[in-house]
Amino acid sequence: MQAVEILERLIAFPSVVGQANGAIVEWIRAYVESCGARITILPGPEGDRSNLFATIGPIDVPGYILSGHMDVVPANEPAWSSDPFTLRAEGGRFYGRGTSDMKGFLAAALAALPALAARPLARPIHLAFSYDEEAGCRGAPHLIKHLPELCARPEGAIIGEPSSLRAIRAHKGKAAVRIEIRGSAGHSSRPDQGLNAIHAMAGVLMEAVASAERLAHGPFDAAFEPRYSSLQVGTIKGGQAVNIIPDLCIAELEARAISGVSPSGLLASVKAKAESLRSHGLEVNWELMSDYPALSLAADAPLAHLLEELTGHAPLAAVSYGTEAGLYQAAGIDAIICGPGDIARAHRPDEFIFFDELMACQSMIEALGDRLSA
């Protein structure tokens, strides 16, 4: 199958983050097996979604992982010009949810499989396709922990997030949290008879703002924009009416950390402030929604040199968004970002990828196969 035909099939699966993904996993499984690859389906603890791992070539020697995620963000924006889950071709572009982020990479990798299978690979190429990356890389950790059972330790992992096929050596880490504070309701004329959850949350938010201001003063890493770690409050909900003491307030926060800094550690003072409210009779629930580390690959790393040779361009130093790459590095596997499409087109109506980008990515993967052949 050609990359465009595969992309059309993949886009037709509305594999939205947080939902069951059995249909797309089964289609990929059948296709990969038809190409002669060994495949393992790795169900996640949620029970209705799975990771997928496949190998072309020998499993007992180090090779390379091609890593991508099968999930996409929702496509509820009214500005779509056509059905986001039906691939539309126009002027060398292919439109649809996930074309850039990142089913284009999956399609290029799958289209390259027959050519890879026909080569006498001395070292393997693995496909590691995960779920719920868009919710904070929730699926990849379950896949990575099984790698010692599935293959020899890989020499590197190429994470195919959209980067215009320019390799990227570093990204920030991220932690996201949901804070739920419960007080007690009552008439607003008797605040002494209730516990105002919004008032209680205000103190927590003040600590979050103060933490964000402190982070802006360093430490710094000039590779990133901004060059410091950051923290922000993203959402806040609470209250029913102006004359009712609000008994519930929910806020969501995120922290993004430069290399060498723990993302969840950036939220420690906010967590301490929230938990201190329990002594005032309030219920507090702190839910860590996602937590993945930063990526930092040295400029002289063999994987960086390999991608420079494969793409013809020196790797870029860093981006501020996050990927699964940091999780692979934390597991002792060098990782780098390189994939077709553009992150600026992702998570928007009329997301698209160019035909030439798909073909260039497929050629890069086949060139990797040439290097690994006997």
Side-chain angles (χ1 to χ4, degrees):
M1 294 177 70
Q2 300 297 311
V4 171
E5 184 181 358
I6 295 172
L7 181 61
E8 182 178 27
R9 298 289 185 91
L10 297 179
I11 295 300
F13 294 104
S15 51
V16 173
V17 58
Q19 299 182 12
N21 73 344
I24 189 171
V25 168
E26 175 56 26
W27 189 89
I28 294 173
R29 181 203 61 76
Y31 173 83
V32 170
E33 285 188 341
S34 74
C35 296
R38 290 179 293 275
I39 188 165
T40 302
I41 305 300
L42 300 162
E46 298 83 1
D48 63 351
R49 63 208 78 158
S50 300
N51 297 303
L52 180 151
F53 187 83
T55 298
I56 289 283
I59 63 171
D60 56 349
V61 294
Y64 290 90
I65 288 176
L66 304 179
S67 169
H69 60 86
M70 298 174 284
D71 61 304
V72 297
V73 295
N76 301 322
E77 308 96 333
W80 280 91
S81 300
S82 57
D83 180 354
F85 296 109
T86 299
L87 193 68
R88 174 170 64 91
E90 184 179 315
R93 299 178 177 186
F94 292 94
Y95 293 87
R97 174 56 84 220
T99 46
S100 268
D101 190 13
M102 59 180 296
K103 290 180 177 179
F105 177 76
L106 303 188
L110 293 171
L113 274 188
L116 296 177
R119 286 168 168 78
L121 293 179
R123 290 180 288 166
I125 292 179
H126 311 287
L127 304 183
F129 293 171
S130 65
Y131 68 87
D132 284 5
E133 188 274 348
E134 298 290 4
C137 301
R138 292 184 177 179
H142 304 299
L143 187 158
I144 292 170
K145 74 178 181 182
H146 286 289
L147 286 180
E149 310 159 19
L150 298 171
C151 62
R153 178 179 292 275
E155 291 187 30
I158 301 169
I159 285 71
E161 289 284 354
S163 67
S164 299
L165 223 59
R166 288 291 301 271
I168 299 167
R169 294 188 291 104
H171 68 65
K172 290 185 176 181
K174 176 185 171 180
V177 65
R178 178 182 291 111
I179 308 168
E180 182 179 294
I181 296 176
R182 289 187 177 274
S184 56
H187 197 284
S188 62
S189 65
R190 292 299 308 272
D192 55 311
Q193 294 183 348
L195 286 173
N196 191 309
I198 294 178
H199 286 188
M201 183 69 80
V204 178
L205 301 185
M206 288 176 63
E207 176 56 34
V209 172
S211 294
E213 292 173 350
R214 289 194 295 269
L215 290 173
H217 296 286
F220 301 109
D221 186 332
F224 294 107
E225 295 181 0
R227 60 195 182 108
Y228 49 84
S229 301
S230 61
L231 189 155
Q232 77 143 14
V233 180
T235 69
I236 183 166
K237 302 175 184 177
Q240 304 175 61
V242 71
N243 60 349
I244 300 174
I245 298 171
D247 62 346
L248 176 64
C249 187
I250 300 172
E252 294 178 339
L253 292 72
E254 71 161 29
R256 294 185 181 263
I258 61 174
S259 302
V261 175
S262 166
S264 58
L266 296 176
L267 296 167
S269 67
V270 181
K271 184 178 183 181
K273 181 65 177 179
E275 292 182 341
S276 71
L277 297 173
R278 295 191 180 110
S279 63
H280 299 283
L282 293 127
E283 296 181 21
V284 178
N285 182 53
W286 178 277
E287 178 190 354
L288 188 63
M289 299 188 294
S290 65
D291 186 11
Y292 58 80
L295 167 71
S296 181
L297 182 70
D300 60 352
L303 184 61
H305 289 308
L306 173 63
L307 266 294
E308 182 172 358
E309 293 171 359
L310 290 174
T311 64
H313 299 284
L316 301 175
V319 291
S320 291
Y321 62 81
T323 76
E324 297 171 337
L327 292 166
Y328 282 97
Q329 188 174 58
I333 301 168
D334 278 355
I336 198 165
I337 303 163
C338 189
D342 191 324
I343 196 68
R345 304 177 206 146
H347 301 194
R348 295 171 180 263
D350 288 344
E351 179 182 350
F352 70 90
I353 195 168
F354 287 104
F355 174 78
D356 290 347
E357 293 173 326
L358 279 177
M359 295 301 98
C361 184
Q362 181 177 341
S363 295
M364 181 191 76
I365 293 169
E366 292 176 359
L368 174 62
D370 289 338
R371 290 175 175 271
L372 303 182
S373 297

